[in-house]
Amino acid sequence: MATIRPTSLRNLSVLLRRKPRHYRPNSTSSSVNQTEVNHFNALASTWWDPHGSSRLLHLMNPLRHDFIKACLASQSTPAPSQGLRYLDVGCGGGIFAESAARLSSTKSVTGIDPSSEVLSVAKGHARKDPLLQQKGRLEYLNNSIEQLPLPKTVEEQYDILSLFEVIEHISHPSPFLESCLPFVKPGGWIVLSTIARTWTSWVTTKVVAEDLARIVPRGTHDWEKYINEEELRSWFAGKKGWGGARSMGVLYVPGFGWREIRGGEKWGNYFLGVRKNPET
């Protein structure tokens, strides 16, 4: 297999399809990029400041839950009203993990992240809520997805595997996604949010958000790692036992927050949900 050069418009589809040389899923190989980890380590102390560097993540969190509800509601058979198990991959400081753990429909949430500094912030914040201290309610692990033991039974798999603002920070998204698939139980969902790779997203996320308005710290995003919605749809369509993909475009409107926008998945931020066949 030829060496994959840094992502470009022409070779990103190849990057999605191929694995890096010597990659073995759920082995000592890892999707962790130390440069990305260092960047988020520097932001750890302000993770729970609603006006700090993670402000947009706080504002987006309600839409994450809305999208998951929409995915579950789209099933032909009703989703369980209780006992849902979540695996939040790249959980960061725990914004989504905490909120999911507080839901009455949730049995447990496991958040994993390669940054020990960010996880320290997540654990410290969770200790402020007695509900989150209940055994099995919320657990944080300093691991990458490749380091987690593979589930041996359906009971060890998860109803929801979330990848919120994660995949655009991964150098090799295809093997990373491959490593996520076994953790979802039949009938469960992978739900993610990311950014389409278009000139519009380059202007809004790099020029405006990072350089002009300074809404997010410089270096947060690498435009060449963005993945278009149709590329992800195509990737999942090639995986046996996965289907029912649905997406939702969203836009940040200063002064109003995040809003759903029809067709936004084609040029900016978006959510994507894909379901594992219940009979798999």
Side-chain angles (χ1 to χ4, degrees):
M1 179 178 65
T3 301
I4 298 175
R5 296 187 299 275
T7 314
S8 70
L9 282 172
R10 289 185 296 176
N11 67 23
L12 191 127
S13 294
V14 176
L15 181 61
L16 262 175
R17 292 198 303 270
R18 296 182 179 178
K19 300 177 176 61
R21 192 180 299 274
H22 306 312
Y23 182 89
R24 291 181 296 126
N26 294 90
S27 69
T28 54
S29 299
S30 174
S31 55
V32 176
N33 181 318
Q34 191 57 47
T35 300
E36 296 279 2
V37 172
N38 292 342
H39 175 80
F40 289 106
N41 280 344
L43 306 178
S45 63
T46 62
W47 207 279
W48 280 96
D49 179 355
H51 304 292
S53 60
S54 298
R55 176 171 175 264
L56 294 189
L57 301 184
H58 287 273
L59 293 174
M60 181 181 277
N61 205 47
L63 280 180
R64 295 168 171 172
H65 289 285
D66 290 345
F67 185 70
I68 290 174
K69 289 177 184 177
C71 288
L72 296 176
S74 71
Q75 301 176 186
S76 56
T77 55
S81 59
Q82 290 184 321
L84 293 178
R85 301 182 71 239
Y86 290 77
L87 176 61
D88 189 20
V89 180
C91 64
I95 295 171
F96 174 74
E98 274 200 18
S99 60
R102 293 190 182 97
L103 298 175
S104 60
S105 58
T106 297
K107 178 181 180 181
S108 67
V109 176
T110 300
I112 66 171
D113 200 280
S115 169
S116 58
E117 291 185 38
V118 173
L119 277 187
S120 178
V121 171
K123 293 176 181 178
H125 194 271
R127 282 194 288 269
K128 300 176 181 180
D129 186 343
L131 173 66
L132 303 181
Q133 299 310 299
Q134 294 179 3
K135 186 176 180 180
R137 191 76 178 187
L138 175 61
E139 179 182 22
Y140 288 119
L141 301 174
N142 185 204
N143 294 116
S144 67
I145 189 67
E146 296 87 356
Q147 294 170 324
L148 284 186
L150 287 172
K152 297 179 180 179
T153 65
V154 172
E155 289 72 27
E156 293 180 353
Q157 294 175 309
Y158 296 87
D159 299 281
I160 307 289
L161 186 150
S162 54
L163 298 167
F164 292 130
E165 288 71 56
V166 169
I167 199 167
E168 67 268 24
H169 301 288
I170 301 295
S171 297
H172 296 284
S174 178
F176 169 73
L177 289 173
E178 289 274 10
S179 293
C180 292
L181 300 184
F183 289 89
V184 182
K185 66 172 56 176
W189 290 81
I190 286 181
V191 180
L192 62 86
S193 57
T194 190
I195 311 170
R197 192 184 65 261
T198 64
W199 290 117
T200 302
S201 68
W202 178 76
V203 170
T204 57
T205 65
K206 295 297 295 180
V207 178
V208 176
E210 291 190 18
D211 297 333
L212 298 180
R214 303 291 178 90
I215 299 173
V216 296
R218 281 185 173 178
T220 296
H221 299 111
D222 181 347
W223 180 82
E224 291 193 337
K225 288 183 179 178
Y226 293 0
I227 302 178
N228 292 330
E229 186 251 14
E230 61 267 25
E231 291 171 330
L232 283 172
R233 277 183 179 266
S234 176
W235 189 90
F236 279 104
K239 301 300 169 185
K240 184 178 180 181
W242 289 84
R246 57 187 295 117
S247 59
M248 179 177 78
V250 294
L251 176 69
Y252 176 70
V253 182
F256 295 92
W258 290 95
R259 294 290 184 268
E260 178 181 354
I261 181 165
R262 188 179 300 274
E265 66 274 11
K266 301 301 181 184
W267 49 265
N269 291 76
Y270 65 93
F271 288 90
L272 180 76
V274 187
R275 193 182 186 207
K276 191 172 187 178
N277 191 315
E279 284 77 44
T280 299

